[in-house]
Amino acid sequence: MAADSIVKRLKAPGALARGRLADRAFFIATFIFAGLVLLIVAAIFIELAVMSWPSLIKFGPRFITSSDWDPVAGKFGALPLIFGTVASSVIALLLAVPLGLGVAVFLSEVSPPWLKTPVGFLVELLAGIPSVIYGLWGIFVLAPLVMNHLAPWLNHYFGWLPLFRGTSYGVGLLTAGLILTLMVLPFITSVSREILATVPRDQREAALALGMTRWEVIRHAVLPYGRVGIIGAVILALGRALGETMAVTMVIGNTPRISASLFNPAYSMAAVIANEFTEASSRLYVSALIEVGLVLFGVTFLVNAAARLLIWRVGGGQKRARV
Amino acid sequence: MNPYNRRRLVSRIMLGLCAASVVVVVVPLLLIIGYLIYQGISSVNLALFTQMPKPVGESGGGMANAIAGSLLLLGLASGFGMVVGVMTGIYLAEFGDNKFGFIVRFLSETLNSTPSIIIGIFAYTIIVAPMRHFSALAGGFALGVIMVPIIARTTEDMIRLVPTSLREASLALGVNKWRTIFRVVLRTASPGILTGIMLALARAAGETAPLLFTALGSRFWSLSVSEPISSLPVQIYTYAISPYEDWHRQAWAGALILIGIVVLIGLAARFLAARSSLVRGARRR
Amino acid sequence: MKNRVEVHDLSAWFDEQQVLFDINVAIEDKCVTAIIGPSGCGKSTFIRCVNRLHETVPGARMSGRVLLDKDDIYAQVVDPVAIRKRIGMVFQRPNPFPTMSIFDNVAAGLKLNGFRRSAELQEIVQRSLEQAALWDQVKDRLGEAGASLSGGQQQRLCIARALAVEPEILLMDEPCSALDPAATQRVEDLLVELQNNYAIVIVTHNMQQAARVSKYTGFFLNGGLIEFDDTSRIFTNPQDKRTEDYITGRFG
């Protein structure tokens, strides 16, 4: 009977041997691709280190301690860039962490159900807006707003602080910090929201049963339960802010200078690479820019690694929080 | 004031602050979207899709080459990202419960949060520098590297959601492991994996920084992988920082098109996820 | 009668926990052998060792010998895939492939292994569905999803799927525990039919079921095989006190 023949072929020794070989080949193929991911990360480090070698040996540690970034004179000190990157990120986190947490708490603990979906959707939508569009908005809407309204107001009331001295021309540290705030807010909100959603009901109920007010329940039962996860989320957000390129490039002013006033233009590590890489004329210039990239990569790598390990540890080893 | 009333007051104030933060956050965000739509719609026209850029300083013209370029770059990127991402995801889910798997998973997550401009430098050093000129290939590779970790993670998660019973049903029929994985497990997980691919595409579509010195940009029509190529995000950037009024208008219009593409891909991903029994099951759990 | 499967000193572990202790038993051809015992006694693990499915669970291992027609299936040269083609299995919950039609589900064992010749497949699918007493109910909707069937029909679909690759032994892991009484009845009728061609091992926690369908019954407790005998003897005159306690409902 014809039908028997295919069952027989199915069980033939040849088919089995081929099957065994195929299983082995399959394992090796997936292993190679997984190895490729590892290789890519390693290659990024190696390539950046090799390409920045001329600059590394020429400047040594002075590269990150000198504040003289003058490509025409062949002087490359990255301190102003590091300053700009860190300062704009700090502004962003100072504003975005309390706001983002507030929104997350509101959405998961307080909000009436009909409000959750639209606000949640809006937040998710904003997380997906490309950086260049934030930058576009920053140039044409936020920068004029800062120049004409926010900066004069801050200067009028808080001008005694060095932070708010002088006049703003729109682009500068403050504007960069604000645009970064908007960009990391959706991230902090959605991650915190997911973490708060994992807090078991009985934690809340136990606290309510003790006669706590709603805020006290949040303060003493909900937030402590999610604390480690939230800290992880904040560190991840820091990593994003440090490495954010386009939006910052478009509004920070691109001036390698360290100054106390937030109104002044500044420069960030990512922005200097974005702006100057294709124009870099000498080998040393390119190499210095790549060294900036190496420093940025090193810092974000450490920040992200710390956040990831923290989150995995709470998530129980392999079971990862979906961050 | 007695202590209980004071505590109630504190509770009210703090919850009120949470609500206030929603207002503080939502208003600027609505402003961004509103302004983008307002500026974009008043600037968008047919020429944008059909015409090439006019010479510097002349008004009119369009972004046809940038739209085509973006599509080509995304095509190249998905080719690389899907193969590496899905295969890595399979490895992590099927064989990855060991030290090597942990390291790959960890590095993949780190790669995911690596600044995209760094990926751009990487693509520059290994493709542009040896080839001695900027190319679509380098840009596509950079975007592909950005897609890999997102796809790898969703693939792993989705494969792990496939019930053991299906896998065992197939194994018990005497089906090989690789056929079981490809034709039973992957097929069952495919809507979820496709969702991950779409999310990765949506992210790659908006990336600008890694293209600046890989695909570079171009004012001409090109579909060659070895030539510099224009892309929507880079075009928006170039126009936004230019001094010309008409280019600003086109930047807004381009931004609207870009956000349209990103939102469409995102909605398609959501739709797929909603249809996937696996994802639904995972939510319920 | 001829013994198809012989098990010698079979022990099994999940990580450090031993779940089977030195099992010795023989499975006879062309009849139903029932395995009974309380939950967690190792009965499922036992039959999963017989088709080498136990080892696919991370951390699982075993020792001892399982002979299929006198050949050790755990010998170094033996491919577990080959064993599983000869020893079919039906699971506790019906698990049709959700992405496949009724036809493709039955043909899965062949199609997944790369056979696509439709005329022969058609013949095999029809024969398997007839054997599983499902053909008449589904012959007009073979293209529909396997998941569209009722629970009892799904389980018979899974039986047809196992039969399509023409196994010599059929292992059933509590095949009726997710089914209603009517569906259970149909599967039991089916077992009586099928035993003319196969050696069948059925794991069940339902003692009446074991009594109704099987020729031999083994009683497992805490990972050990306490007693193995003719079904009629086990249920009327058990030799071991623990078996008697179990079948008279004093525990478990």
Side-chain angles (χ1 to χ4, degrees):
Chain A
M1 198 160 60
D4 287 330
S5 72
I6 81 172
V7 173
K8 220 171 264 159
R9 287 218 320 271
L10 171 72
K11 298 184 184 185
L16 282 168
R18 277 199 301 281
R20 260 185 148 169
L21 212 63
D23 271 357
R24 192 78 205 142
F26 167 71
F27 167 77
I28 292 171
T30 61
F31 180 80
I32 287 174
F33 281 106
L36 191 60
V37 170
L38 193 152
L39 206 70
I40 287 174
V41 178
I44 292 177
F45 255 121
I46 295 167
E47 285 289 336
L48 291 180
V50 169
M51 298 287 279
S52 57
W53 194 249
S55 161
L56 273 168
I57 48 170
K58 175 133 201 254
F59 302 110
R62 258 189 312 137
F63 187 76
I64 52 171
T65 55
S66 156
S67 54
D68 200 2
W69 182 270
D70 186 354
V72 182
K75 289 187 196 153
F76 299 101
L79 194 60
L81 314 173
I82 298 171
F83 166 80
T85 300
V86 172
S88 56
S89 301
V90 167
I91 297 174
L93 285 194
L94 284 179
L95 294 172
V97 170
L99 282 175
L101 261 180
V103 176
V105 167
F106 179 83
L107 286 179
S108 73
E109 309 289 325
V110 189
S111 165
W114 58 265
L115 203 61
K116 279 186 189 180
T117 319
V119 175
F121 180 76
L122 186 70
V123 168
E124 263 189 61
L125 185 68
L126 285 151
I129 291 186
S131 154
V132 70
I133 294 181
Y134 276 104
L136 183 68
W137 187 81
I139 291 182
F140 293 108
V141 182
L142 186 61
L145 212 67
V146 169
M147 179 167 74
N148 299 326
H149 301 284
L150 184 61
W153 185 85
L154 282 171
N155 182 261
H156 185 79
Y157 290 100
F158 302 98
W160 45 273
L161 278 170
L163 290 177
F164 303 116
R165 294 244 168 91
T167 32
S168 162
Y169 296 98
V171 294
L173 255 188
L174 181 62
T175 315
L178 289 176
I179 206 93
L180 275 179
T181 307
L182 289 176
M183 293 180 74
V184 295
L185 252 174
F187 179 77
I188 294 182
T189 304
S190 64
V191 176
S192 310
R193 222 183 135 191
E194 276 183 39
I195 290 165
L196 293 182
T198 64
V199 179
R201 263 193 88 75
D202 52 9
Q203 289 274 328
R204 296 192 175 92
E205 282 167 2
L208 276 174
L210 289 174
M212 289 190 184
T213 63
R214 274 169 93 188
W215 167 249
E216 284 164 346
V217 172
I218 296 166
R219 173 78 186 70
H220 297 294
V222 176
L223 288 180
Y225 190 90
R227 202 187 73 223
V228 184
I230 291 171
I231 293 174
V234 169
I235 303 177
L236 276 183
L238 174 66
R240 293 197 153 200
L242 291 173
E244 178 44 51
T245 310
M246 297 320 296
V248 173
T249 307
M250 291 160 88
V251 298
I252 200 168
N254 300 336
T255 311
R257 202 172 68 195
I258 301 176
S259 53
S261 172
L262 300 183
F263 299 156
N264 284 338
Y267 220 164
S268 82
M269 291 194 270
V272 82
I273 303 171
N275 270 326
E276 301 181 10
F277 200 85
T278 47
E279 294 158 12
S281 39
S282 72
R283 194 156 156 266
L284 186 66
Y285 194 178
V286 171
S287 150
L289 286 172
I290 295 183
E291 190 178 346
V292 172
L294 182 66
V295 174
L296 181 61
F297 184 50
V299 171
T300 52
F301 187 90
L302 289 180
V303 167
N304 288 319
R308 187 58 52 190
L309 292 177
L310 197 67
I311 289 171
W312 278 356
R313 215 194 48 199
V314 244
Q318 300 280 353
K319 272 200 301 170
R320 289 142 302 130
R322 295 181 53 74
V323 177
Chain B
M1 201 188 284
N2 73 38
Y4 180 66
N5 280 345
R6 203 182 64 86
R7 281 168 55 203
R8 280 217 341 218
L9 188 69
V10 169
S11 179
R12 289 248 173 89
I13 291 174
M14 293 313 290
L15 295 183
L17 282 177
C18 286
S21 63
V22 173
V23 178
V24 172
V25 168
V26 164
V27 167
L29 294 185
L30 280 177
L31 268 179
I32 294 181
I33 294 180
Y35 197 79
L36 172 65
I37 292 175
Y38 164 73
Q39 280 286 343
I41 286 186
S42 61
S43 319
V44 99
N45 57 25
L46 191 65
L48 216 61
F49 295 92
T50 57
Q51 288 186 22
M52 301 290 298
K54 284 272 165 64
V56 177
E58 252 175 66
S59 19
M63 293 188 164
N65 61 333
I67 295 171
S70 267
L71 292 179
L72 179 79
L73 286 170
L74 287 179
L76 290 172
S78 331
F80 182 82
M82 275 163 60
V83 173
V84 180
V86 170
M87 290 296 271
T88 303
I90 295 174
Y91 177 85
L92 291 177
E94 295 293 331
F95 313 104
D97 288 330
N98 52 26
K99 203 162 231 165
F100 183 74
F102 177 83
I103 293 172
V104 169
R105 196 174 291 119
F106 174 72
L107 289 182
S108 173
E109 291 296 342
T110 325
L111 187 61
N112 190 22
S113 24
T114 295
S116 56
I117 191 140
I118 302 289
I119 314 272
I121 302 182
F122 175 60
Y124 173 89
T125 61
I126 71 162
I127 298 185
V128 177
M131 282 175 60
R132 293 184 174 279
H133 61 95
F134 300 101
S135 65
L137 186 69
F141 172 73
L143 295 184
V145 170
I146 288 169
M147 290 175 76
V148 165
I150 307 173
I151 297 177
R153 180 209 284 173
T154 11
T155 304
E156 183 189 356
D157 286 351
M158 289 301 139
I159 289 181
R160 284 184 189 270
L161 284 179
V162 174
T164 325
S165 65
L166 288 183
R167 207 180 289 252
E168 293 193 335
S170 176
L171 290 176
L173 288 171
V175 178
N176 293 330
K177 178 149 188 163
W178 79 272
R179 288 186 197 267
T180 299
I181 290 170
F182 267 98
R183 305 190 52 182
V184 175
V185 177
L186 272 193
R187 200 162 143 190
T188 312
S190 58
I193 295 175
L194 215 54
T195 304
I197 293 174
M198 306 278 251
L199 291 177
L201 259 182
R203 158 120 191 247
E207 282 291 351
T208 317
L211 297 178
L212 290 174
F213 32 85
T214 51
L216 192 67
S218 155
R219 305 196 53 75
F220 309 103
W221 180 266
S222 164
L223 288 177
S224 158
V225 293
S226 57
E227 296 297 319
I229 197 168
S230 179
S231 62
L232 213 39
V234 173
Q235 196 86 326
I236 294 168
Y237 171 63
T238 322
Y239 282 6
I241 58 171
S242 78
Y244 310 111
E245 200 60 38
D246 190 59
W247 279 11
H248 295 166
R249 174 189 69 78
Q250 290 192 35
W252 282 108
L256 188 67
I257 299 173
L258 181 61
I259 201 84
I261 293 174
V262 170
V263 167
L264 266 184
I265 302 175
L267 284 179
R270 275 169 161 252
F271 175 74
L272 267 174
R275 277 188 39 187
S276 157
S277 53
L278 279 184
V279 177
R280 277 207 309 270
R283 290 235 178 87
R284 219 175 296 131
R285 224 169 288 148
Chain C
M1 275 300 225
K2 185 177 147 213
N3 284 340
R4 293 303 304 275
V5 177
E6 285 176 25
V7 175
H8 296 293
D9 301 324
L10 175 69
S11 296
W13 292 262
F14 285 110
D15 294 315
E16 289 315 302
Q17 193 182 359
Q18 188 166 3
V19 290
L20 283 182
F21 298 84
D22 299 319
I23 307 296
N24 285 284
V25 71
I27 308 295
E28 199 179 290
D29 202 9
K30 300 203 191 310
C31 71
V32 176
T33 303
I35 306 288
I36 61 170
S39 335
C41 67
K43 25 185 220 301
S44 287
T45 307
F46 167 70
I47 63 164
R48 290 166 60 91
C49 283
V50 174
N51 71 342
R52 296 194 62 173
L53 207 54
H54 177 65
E55 68 201 47
T56 64
V57 179
R61 62 196 171 86
M62 57 74 71
S63 73
R65 292 197 304 156
V66 179
L67 307 184
L68 173 60
D69 296 336
K70 310 288 180 205
D71 295 326
D72 186 353
I73 66 168
Y74 282 94
Q76 198 73 59
V77 295
V78 173
D79 185 352
V81 175
I83 295 305
R84 296 187 199 122
K85 282 174 181 162
R86 295 176 62 190
I87 305 182
M89 186 163 189
V90 176
F91 295 81
Q92 189 166 355
R93 306 193 135 270
N95 53 357
F97 298 120
T99 54
M100 296 183 195
S101 65
I102 293 173
F103 182 94
D104 286 347
N105 259 289
V106 180
L110 295 157
K111 276 190 129 177
L112 289 177
N113 271 312
F115 292 94
R116 283 199 194 76
R117 272 203 272 154
S118 61
E120 295 173 30
L121 278 183
Q122 220 113 42
E123 201 177 308
I124 292 173
V125 167
Q126 176 170 355
R127 192 175 64 206
S128 309
L129 283 169
E130 278 168 356
Q131 277 185 298
L134 194 60
W135 174 251
D136 290 332
Q137 295 157 57
V138 300
K139 63 181 174 199
D140 300 322
R141 46 182 185 134
L142 291 173
E144 283 176 34
S148 66
L149 299 172
S150 72
Q153 289 174 325
Q154 285 188 19
Q155 193 60 300
R156 275 179 286 145
L157 180 68
C158 293
I159 295 174
R161 180 175 68 187
L163 296 178
V165 289
E166 296 180 18
E168 298 150 53
I169 319 282
L170 196 56
L171 306 174
M172 306 182 105
D173 187 1
E174 305 200 26
C176 300
S177 67
L179 304 185
D180 62 45
T184 300
Q185 178 65 47
R186 304 213 54 166
V187 172
E188 284 181 15
D189 292 347
L190 188 57
L191 285 181
V192 176
E193 286 283 308
L194 292 173
Q195 66 175 329
N196 297 322
N197 297 311
Y198 301 92
I200 297 175
V201 181
I202 179 171
V203 165
T204 176
H205 58 246
N206 177 337
M207 282 174 283
Q208 285 72 33
Q209 183 169 58
R212 281 192 301 262
V213 300
S214 69
K215 182 171 177 195
Y216 299 103
T217 296
F219 172 58
F220 274 69
L221 185 66
N222 298 330
L225 177 60
I226 304 303
E227 191 168 353
F228 186 88
D229 212 330
D230 287 358
T231 298
S232 51
R233 287 246 309 192
I234 289 270
F235 284 101
T236 53
N237 186 19
Q239 303 300 300
D240 195 292
K241 178 79 172 58
R242 289 167 292 180
T243 315
E244 191 184 333
D245 286 350
Y246 182 69
I247 60 168
T248 53
R250 251 168 257 163
F251 72 86

